[in-house]
């Protein structure tokens, strides 16, 4: 069941993703029932879906492949109510036979979630079902608790999948493999060897036509609570007892329990110039389109290690990186002018973009007489494995995981409520926004936040490109 089936997310990601899962054989026996405000029939919905897949699918859509997919697409308008929805689902279930599992994907504004949940209950579509919700999961602790309570009146927590597409990326999951499968790095993944960690997600895009959503939400609610904190948990968690959903969720929640409440003096909020000129935006708006903050985890592994998070709209580049800065050793043995330490500490950098990459920087001796050091790096890219075509796009992976009942990459009610709890000091007493130029890296005061260290972006040394064959 796809609620919001004619919306932007459904067209860009969900329908093309379902087509791809079907084509790869990961979705062998299925039917899709779409519903939205538009008064469409099945054939008209298939035309909408075909146009979306032709435009947004990662691979060319062939007629034979499309025909197999299209005959499994159905539609019922929202005006049909719970009874019409129940009839359409009953029809598709008879086509499948037996008692198939149901997956309800709510590609709708969070404010509409309660009414959809009531509709599903009235339509008797809760049994054998799982439900996926898009972020944000509330806008503060009170609304998150209310939303969770409403969900739990109808669905059990095991049926609820709160989606974060950042965690569906291959590179984000590779953090777990990198940390826990390699004896070289796990022993140094702690406060004794790591100086600080940066999670940096600048975006070149503006808020676009989402100014109404952004005025009510802002960058912190939109990106930090629902994305960056989740990535932080993957970086900081302890080894789970098993590579299974409950064990991984428990370790993530331990990180969230150990997060200190945000210190508002360690937060920079910015707004790009021109945002207030958008329709529907107040001329004196204090909504942030940029946020940078320092947070700390008060546990044995990470005590004293700052985590610096940054994200914003209309910035100089679009990127998604995690950068681990290692503590620097004593350098008294090296002569003056050797260059040691001149380019900062050694870094391990994860690029979370779709073409995921990994870099480890270090100092090495420049060939020739004397002791002159340069900053060098070892780099790895996904394309070097020969498996880059096997990668599932984030929404494809997460839909498949939800169908399989795998909650590893999804957020729990406890986790999201704890994140809103530690965010309360900032939400209740936010510092004023500082204006920044579109195409810049944000307000200048962000440099004071991280001093004496520096932000890793923009990179001084670019990623190396694979040579053309």
């Amino acid at each position: 069941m796809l609620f919001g089936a004619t919306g932007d997310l459904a067209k860009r990601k969900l329908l093309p993703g379902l087509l791809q899962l079907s084509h790869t054989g990961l979705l062998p026996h299925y039917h899709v029932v779409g519903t939205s405000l538009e008064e469409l029939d099945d054939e008209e919905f298939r035309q909408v879906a075909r146009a979306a897949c032709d435009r947004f699918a990662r691979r060319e859509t062939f007629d034979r492949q499309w025909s197999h997919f299209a005959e499994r697409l159905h539609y019922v308008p929202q005006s049909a109510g719970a009874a019409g929805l129940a009839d359409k689902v009953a029809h598709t279930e008879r086509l499948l036979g037996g008692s198939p599992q149901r997956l309800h994907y709510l590609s709708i504004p969070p404010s509409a979630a309660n009414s959809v949940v009531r509709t599903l209950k009235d339509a008797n579509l809760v049994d054998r079902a799982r439900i996926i919700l898009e972020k944000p999961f509330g806008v503060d602790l009170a609304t998150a608790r209310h939303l969770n309570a409403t969900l739990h009146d109808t669905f059990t927590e095991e049926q609820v999948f709160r989606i974060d597409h950042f965690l569906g990326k291959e590179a984000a999951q590779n953090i777990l493999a990198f940390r826990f499968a390699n004896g070289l790095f796990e022993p140094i993944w702690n406060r004794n060897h790591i100086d600080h960690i940066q999670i940096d997600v600048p975006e070149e895009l503006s808020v676009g036509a989402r100014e109404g959503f952004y005025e009510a939400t802002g960058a912190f609610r939109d990106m930090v609570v629902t994305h960056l904190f989740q990535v932080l948990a993957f970086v900081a968690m302890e080894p789970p007892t098993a590579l299974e959903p409950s064990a991984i969720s428990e370790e993530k929640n331990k990180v969230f329990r150990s997060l200190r409440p945000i210190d508002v003096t360690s937060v920079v909020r910015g707004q790009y110039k021109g945002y207030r000129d958008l329709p529907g935006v107040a001329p004196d708006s204090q909504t942030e389109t940029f946020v940078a903050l320092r947070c700390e985890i008060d546990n044995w592994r990470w005590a004293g290690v700052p985590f610096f998070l940054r994200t914003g709209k209309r910035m100089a580049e679009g990127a998604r990186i995690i950068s681990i800065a290692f503590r620097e050793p004593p350098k008294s043995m090296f002569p003056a002018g050797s260059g040691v330490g001149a380019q900062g500490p050694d870094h391990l950098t994860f690029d979370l973009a779709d073409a995921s990459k990994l870099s480890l920087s270090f100092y090495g001796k420049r060939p020739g007489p004397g002791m002159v050091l340069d900053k060098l790096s070892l780099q790895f890219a996904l394309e070097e494995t020969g498996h880059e075509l096997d990668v599932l796009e984030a929404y494809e992976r997460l839909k498949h995981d939800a169908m399989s009942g795998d909650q590893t990459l999804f957020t729990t009610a406890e986790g999201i409520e704890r994140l809103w709890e530690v965010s309360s000091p900032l939400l209740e007493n936010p510092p004023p926004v500082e204006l920044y130029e579109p195409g810049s890296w944000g307000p200048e005061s962000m440099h004071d936040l991280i001093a004496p260290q520096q932000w890793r972006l923009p990179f001084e040394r670019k990623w190396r490109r694979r040579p053309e064959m």
Side-chain angles (χ1 to χ4, degrees):
M1 282 293 305
L2 180 55
F3 292 83
T6 60
D8 182 63
L9 179 62
K11 291 177 180 177
R12 287 188 299 107
K13 296 292 185 181
L14 304 183
L15 289 167
L18 287 168
L19 173 62
Q20 174 64 13
L21 289 174
S22 175
H23 179 62
T24 57
L26 293 173
L27 192 59
H29 306 293
Y30 69 95
H31 280 268
V32 179
V33 176
T35 183
S36 194
L37 294 173
E38 283 79 358
E39 295 290 331
L40 306 176
D41 59 24
D42 288 359
E43 189 54 41
E44 289 170 329
F45 176 56
R46 289 165 185 164
Q47 293 172 10
V48 170
R50 178 63 190 258
C53 291
D54 284 344
R55 181 177 179 186
F56 296 110
R58 293 189 294 136
R59 296 178 175 86
E60 183 179 355
T61 304
F62 296 102
D63 288 340
R64 181 178 178 183
Q65 173 188 348
W66 173 254
S67 296
H68 177 82
F69 183 61
E71 66 185 19
R72 288 161 175 77
L73 296 181
H74 313 269
Y75 187 85
V76 55
Q78 189 172 312
S79 60
L85 193 62
D87 288 344
K88 181 66 78 168
V89 171
H91 168 69
T92 58
E93 289 189 347
R94 284 193 295 271
L95 295 175
L96 282 169
S99 300
Q101 294 293 310
R102 302 159 176 164
L103 180 66
H104 306 308
Y105 198 119
L106 274 57
S107 179
I108 56 174
S111 58
N114 288 346
S115 63
V116 171
V117 170
R118 286 195 298 271
T119 299
L120 290 170
K121 184 176 182 179
D122 293 342
N124 197 27
L125 296 175
V126 176
D127 292 341
R128 299 181 274 114
R130 302 179 182 118
I131 182 170
I132 298 180
L133 288 92
E134 282 285 339
K135 56 96 175 176
F137 315 109
V139 295
D140 54 23
L141 180 58
T143 55
R145 284 175 172 168
H146 177 71
L147 176 58
N148 284 329
T150 301
L151 284 168
H152 292 158
D153 282 343
T154 303
F155 294 94
T156 66
E157 178 64 15
E158 290 72 24
Q159 292 176 285
V160 179
F161 290 71
R162 300 168 188 83
I163 197 167
D164 173 15
H165 70 272
F166 268 49
L167 296 187
K169 294 182 176 296
E170 195 75 31
Q173 297 166 71
N174 200 37
I175 296 170
L176 297 181
F178 188 89
R179 281 192 59 190
F180 300 128
N182 293 294
L184 177 61
F185 289 101
E186 178 55 24
I188 61 172
W189 209 267
N190 55 59
R191 58 188 168 86
N192 295 323
H193 301 280
I194 292 177
D195 181 79
H196 69 276
I197 294 174
Q198 297 180 33
I199 302 174
D200 206 352
V201 186
E203 296 182 285
E204 291 181 284
L205 299 174
S206 68
V207 300
R210 302 169 69 221
E211 61 270 7
F213 167 79
Y214 234 74
E215 270 294 271
T217 307
F220 179 80
R221 289 181 170 97
D222 183 41
M223 291 293 294
V224 177
V225 176
T226 52
H227 292 321
L228 273 62
F229 278 156
Q230 301 298 327
V231 174
L232 179 151
F234 265 36
V235 175
M237 63 189 280
E238 295 295 323
T241 56
L243 200 64
E244 59 184 29
S246 60
I248 292 175
S249 293
E250 175 58 21
E251 296 305 332
K252 285 174 59 183
N253 285 339
K254 286 181 182 177
V255 173
F256 298 148
R257 291 174 207 144
S258 300
L259 267 177
R260 289 183 175 179
I262 294 173
D263 181 354
V264 296
T265 64
S266 296
V267 179
V268 175
R269 297 169 69 242
Q271 185 186 94
Y272 67 78
K273 293 180 180 179
Y275 171 77
R276 294 175 182 173
D277 298 330
L278 295 173
V281 175
D284 58 349
S285 172
Q286 284 292 303
T287 298
E288 80 280 358
T289 62
F290 168 98
V291 64
L293 66 146
R294 171 186 174 132
C295 55
E296 295 188 12
I297 299 172
D298 191 12
N299 64 14
W300 188 266
R301 183 183 291 260
W302 296 112
V305 177
F307 287 72
F308 296 100
L309 280 54
R310 179 175 66 168
T311 187
K313 301 288 188 182
R314 291 299 308 274
M315 297 183 70
E317 293 179 20
R320 296 168 179 174
I321 72 157
I322 303 167
S323 189
I324 291 95
F326 294 99
R327 295 193 183 278
E328 298 187 70
K331 304 180 182 68
S332 56
M333 62 177 282
F334 293 94
S338 66
V340 66
Q343 297 185 58
D346 300 335
H347 285 88
L348 176 64
T349 304
F350 294 87
D351 183 345
L352 301 186
D354 291 333
S356 59
K357 302 171 186 174
L358 180 69
S359 173
L360 177 63
S361 68
F362 57 93
Y363 285 97
K365 181 184 177 298
R366 184 186 302 173
M371 181 58 72
V372 179
L373 285 80
D374 291 322
K375 203 63 179 277
L376 308 173
S377 67
L378 299 171
Q379 294 188 9
F380 162 80
L382 179 66
E383 62 185 10
E384 297 173 19
T385 67
H387 294 290
E388 64 269 26
L389 296 180
D390 297 334
V391 173
L392 291 177
E393 193 271 336
Y395 278 100
E396 295 168 6
R397 175 182 298 278
L398 292 170
K399 286 198 297 289
H400 183 262
D401 284 356
M403 292 172 193
S404 305
D406 186 344
Q407 290 188 314
T408 302
L409 303 177
F410 295 84
T411 307
T412 66
E414 176 191 341
I416 197 64
E417 290 182 15
R418 173 57 182 168
L419 291 177
W420 285 121
E421 184 179 4
V422 300
S423 302
S424 294
L426 174 60
L427 299 178
E428 294 168 2
N429 186 31
V433 296
E434 305 172 35
L435 298 181
Y436 63 94
E437 293 289 342
S440 70
W441 285 98
E444 287 299 313
S445 58
M446 69 178 182
H447 298 297
D448 297 331
L449 176 69
I450 200 171
Q453 303 295 345
Q454 295 180 328
W455 292 101
R456 287 278 283 151
L457 290 175
F459 286 132
E460 293 181 6
R461 294 172 303 282
K462 297 297 183 182
W463 292 97
R464 290 194 288 271
R465 293 185 179 275
R466 184 179 184 181
E468 297 291 337
M469 301 300 291

